[in-house]
């Protein structure tokens, strides 16, 4: 009887979850044992993070619980710290605080990417990334709390700083986050007596000469025009030199104070890959074939942001697929099919994609889209953006919940409540409880018999 194949999937994001979801449907009972390792117990659908941050969607509805959808898989909550293909094992730091190693026969490497940082003074202390649902929730509460603080200060310099918001990076993540959060802040300002929408300053800084290159130069210019119409300052071909203590300095000579700095300047492969014996390219991505197998390692597969996959849709043999959700979801399907074929000794297929297009939201009722060469803008593009992404959201459970969220926001309006207490849940209780106070000793009357002779009271003769 053949031994059950041990499949280990590193990462529960797009590639990890979609691969495991397809494998548990394709593989026969007893054919393989699938283990998914990720620090989180959910997958985040990142294209909906801007709307979750802006209050159009409940944040819990943009994440998919892995244990609920991957019922035929084992789940390990932990962070993979190293991979040794020579030993066929991965090292894991478990959330319980212990470490372990897990062996495998076939490995899927999909830890995804992390925010690409630069040596900008003050970035580590002041920057806020935008890749997780936790960061989306934090940004929502933070932006609204800045309005609260600005409404209560009489210091004009502090007020300007509180109401100045900087977004660094003009890709999809940066533009959509900027547009949605700016819309939310302007909407919330209606409920403040002394904060007007004109007081709120949003600034975009992009190092290249254009934004969102995926949608082409025409729609890129249209996007810039819409941002300018919304009183958002757009700085192209500009870099941040310093942001120490919130004092922002740009390389074109501009300087200003900002209490909120959102960093969306690209991504890079997970640094965990440095602790592996897998081949990598010059950018640190796992070097893969078109069949999504790691070069020289037929038992190891990879895809997504961390993988260097040949782009067969282009004539350039050096071309590689870009790190995007569109590629990750499509690659996961081919990866799962190839992995099943590999186990069964069948022929593998190459990953080849046809460019369908791109869609992006520019705030409520505004968007841009390029679908099969057709350029769309305005409310039509915004509607296509929502339609496309809700159709790609895993499980009908989450799709229905998101549609209900949109309907509620359309009828009742956005929520403009800051729940900052969730970031420090014990702060109020600690303030009330306070440090323990020493209890004073009770006063005890001294017995006259115990007093010294000179202190004894005697009656008159």
């Amino acid at each position: 009887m053949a031994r059950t194949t041990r499949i280990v999937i590193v990462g529960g994001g797009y590639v990890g979850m979609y691969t495991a979801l397809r494998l548990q449907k394709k593989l026969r009972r007893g054919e393989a044992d699938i283990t998914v390792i990720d620090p989180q117990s959910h997958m985040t659908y990142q294209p909906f993070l801007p709307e979750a941050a802006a209050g159009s969607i409940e944040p819990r509805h943009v994440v998919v619980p892995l244990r609920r959808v991957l019922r035929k898989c084992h789940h390990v909550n932990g962070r993979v710290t190293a991979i040794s293909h020579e030993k066929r094992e991965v090292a894991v730091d478990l959330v319980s605080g212990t470490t372990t190693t897990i062996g495998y026969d076939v490995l899927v490497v999909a830890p995804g990417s992390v925010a690409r940082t630069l040596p900008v003074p003050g970035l580590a202390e002041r920057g806020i990334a935008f890749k997780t649902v936790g960061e989306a929730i934090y940004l929502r509460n933070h932006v609204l709390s800045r309005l609260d603080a600005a409404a209560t200060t009489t210091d004009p310099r502090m007020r300007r700083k509180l109401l100045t918001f900087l977004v660094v990076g003009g890709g999809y993540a940066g533009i959509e986050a900027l547009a949605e959060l700016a819309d939310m802040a302007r909407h919330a300002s209606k409920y403040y007596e002394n904060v007007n929408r004109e007081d709120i300053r949003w600034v975009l800084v992009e190092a290249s000469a254009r934004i969102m290159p995926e949608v082409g130069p025409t729609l890129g210019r249209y996007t810039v025009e819409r941002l300018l119409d919304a009183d958002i300052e757009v700085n192209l071909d500009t870099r941040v030199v310093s942001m120490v203590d919130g004092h922002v300095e740009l390389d074109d000579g501009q300087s200003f104070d900002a209490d909120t700095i959102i960093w969306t300047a690209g991504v890079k492969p997970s640094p965990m890959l440095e602790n592996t014996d897998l081949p990598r390219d010059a950018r640190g991505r796992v070097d893969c074939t078109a069949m999504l197998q790691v070069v020289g390692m037929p038992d190891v597969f990879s895809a997504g942001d961390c993988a260097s996959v040949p782009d067969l849709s282009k004539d350039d043999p050096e071309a590689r697929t870009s790190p995007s959700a569109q590629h990750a979801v499509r690659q996961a399907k081919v990866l799962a099919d190839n992995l099943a074929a590999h186990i069964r000794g069948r022929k593998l297929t190459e990953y080849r994609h046809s460019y369908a297009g791109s869609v992006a939201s520019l705030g409520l009722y505004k968007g841009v889209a390029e679908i099969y060469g057709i350029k769309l803008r305005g409310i039509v593009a915004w509607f296509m953006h929502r339609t496309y992404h809700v159709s790609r959201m895993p499980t009908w459970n989450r799709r229905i919940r998101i549609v209900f969220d949109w309907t509620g926001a359309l009828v009742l309006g956005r929520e403009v409540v800051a729940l900052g207490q969730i970031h420090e849940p014990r702060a109020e209780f600690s303030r009330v409880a306070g440090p323990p106070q020493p209890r004073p000793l009770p006063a005890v009357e001294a017995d006259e018999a115990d007093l010294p002779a000179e202190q004894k009271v005697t009656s008159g003769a």
Side-chain angles (χ1 to χ4, degrees):
M1 183 176 179
R3 183 170 66 87
T4 300
T5 302
R6 299 172 300 168
I7 301 174
V8 169
I9 300 176
V10 177
Y14 291 112
V15 174
M17 194 208 72
Y18 278 107
T19 298
L21 189 63
R22 191 169 180 84
L23 282 176
Q24 71 178 10
K25 295 177 181 178
K26 292 182 69 70
L27 297 179
R28 296 182 293 269
R29 182 185 299 272
E31 191 173 8
D33 190 72
I34 306 171
T35 300
V36 179
I37 308 174
D38 194 274
Q40 305 296 330
S41 58
H42 60 260
M43 181 274 252
T44 302
Y45 192 75
Q46 293 182 356
F48 278 145
L49 287 183
E51 292 197 57
S56 296
I57 300 176
E58 163 63 40
R60 290 174 299 176
H61 297 166
V62 305
V63 299
V64 180
L66 295 178
R67 286 184 170 84
R68 182 169 182 171
V69 298
L70 303 178
R71 297 184 180 182
K72 298 181 181 179
C73 301
H74 304 293
H75 303 269
V76 176
N77 285 126
R79 188 177 303 278
V80 172
T81 57
I83 299 174
S84 174
H85 186 58
E86 181 182 4
K87 298 179 180 179
R88 296 291 200 278
E89 65 182 25
V90 298
V92 187
D93 283 348
L94 302 175
V95 295
S96 62
T98 59
T99 60
T100 188
T101 58
I102 299 176
Y104 64 84
D105 299 311
V106 180
L107 179 68
V108 176
V109 181
S113 59
V114 298
R116 180 174 64 91
T117 58
L118 299 173
V120 177
L123 173 59
E125 296 77 19
R126 306 294 301 190
I128 307 170
F130 197 72
K131 280 183 66 63
T132 68
V133 68
E135 289 165 342
I137 295 172
Y138 175 81
L139 271 173
R140 169 180 171 75
N141 292 328
H142 178 77
V143 169
L144 292 175
S145 71
R146 299 307 86 187
L147 302 186
D148 292 337
T152 59
T153 182
T154 57
D155 183 344
R157 182 176 178 180
M158 175 59 68
R159 179 185 171 87
R160 285 194 301 270
K161 181 176 182 178
L162 290 168
L163 295 178
T164 299
F165 305 90
L166 170 65
V167 176
V168 182
Y172 271 111
I175 296 301
E176 292 189 333
L178 168 63
E180 291 286 350
L181 288 171
D183 263 6
M184 180 194 71
R186 286 192 294 266
H187 176 72
S189 67
K190 298 187 302 182
Y191 304 101
Y192 291 83
E193 296 179 357
N194 55 349
V195 175
N196 300 318
R197 58 180 297 163
E198 295 79 12
D199 300 330
I200 305 172
R201 181 186 183 189
W202 286 88
V203 182
L204 171 67
V205 173
E206 166 55 39
S208 66
R210 54 183 293 195
I211 63 174
M212 292 199 308
E214 297 88 349
V215 298
T218 302
L219 291 181
R221 287 192 294 271
Y222 172 82
T223 301
V224 171
E225 292 171 0
R226 297 291 75 74
L227 295 178
L228 294 174
D229 289 343
D231 297 325
I232 296 173
E233 301 175 28
V234 179
N235 299 273
L236 302 180
D237 200 16
T238 307
R239 293 167 177 80
V240 179
V241 176
S242 175
M243 55 180 71
V244 176
D245 295 330
H247 182 70
V248 180
E249 297 179 8
L250 307 182
D251 64 356
D252 63 357
Q254 292 186 68
S255 64
F256 53 88
D257 291 334
D259 200 50
T260 305
I261 300 174
I262 305 170
W263 185 266
T264 62
V267 296
K268 64 180 181 180
S270 170
M272 180 276 296
L273 297 174
E274 298 175 4
N275 300 322
T276 71
D277 53 1
L278 308 178
R280 297 188 296 151
D281 67 2
R283 296 173 58 183
R285 300 175 300 180
V286 178
D287 202 3
C288 297
T289 68
M291 278 77 73
L292 303 178
Q293 288 176 305
V294 174
V295 173
M297 299 179 176
D299 294 330
V300 183
F301 294 77
S302 186
D305 292 359
C306 72
S308 176
V309 179
D311 190 344
L312 300 183
S313 67
K314 299 180 180 178
D315 296 331
D316 184 3
E318 300 299 321
R320 294 294 184 269
T321 57
S322 61
S324 68
Q326 186 176 137
H327 278 302
V329 174
R330 293 181 176 188
Q331 288 173 355
K333 179 180 178 181
V334 176
L335 192 158
D337 292 346
N338 280 350
L339 196 156
H342 174 73
I343 292 175
R344 296 166 181 171
R346 299 175 182 173
K347 184 179 179 180
L348 278 60
T349 59
E350 295 180 333
Y351 173 70
R352 183 186 298 271
H353 75 99
S354 57
Y355 179 70
S358 302
V359 291
S361 170
L362 302 180
L364 200 58
Y365 308 129
K366 302 182 291 293
V368 291
E370 184 174 356
I371 309 297
Y372 295 112
I374 301 175
K375 297 179 175 60
L376 303 169
R377 59 188 68 179
I379 191 171
V380 175
W382 170 82
F383 179 78
M384 291 197 66
H385 168 270
R386 284 194 163 186
T387 302
Y388 172 79
H389 282 302
V390 78
S391 70
R392 293 296 182 268
M393 186 71 191
T395 76
W396 279 102
N397 178 298
R398 286 302 185 264
R399 294 172 193 166
I400 293 172
R401 290 177 185 271
I402 288 172
V403 171
F404 280 160
D405 288 342
W406 284 337
T407 304
L410 177 65
V411 176
L412 304 175
R414 297 183 191 229
E415 289 287 354
V416 289
V417 178
L419 301 178
Q421 299 98 326
I422 67 174
H423 305 298
E424 293 182 290
R426 296 189 66 255
E428 179 64 17
F429 180 77
S430 297
R431 184 188 69 81
V432 174
Q437 299 294 329
R439 295 179 62 185
L441 294 175
V444 178
E445 293 185 5
D447 191 333
E448 186 177 338
D450 297 328
L451 292 176
E454 62 272 16
Q455 295 184 19
K456 290 183 179 180
V457 179
T458 58
S459 58

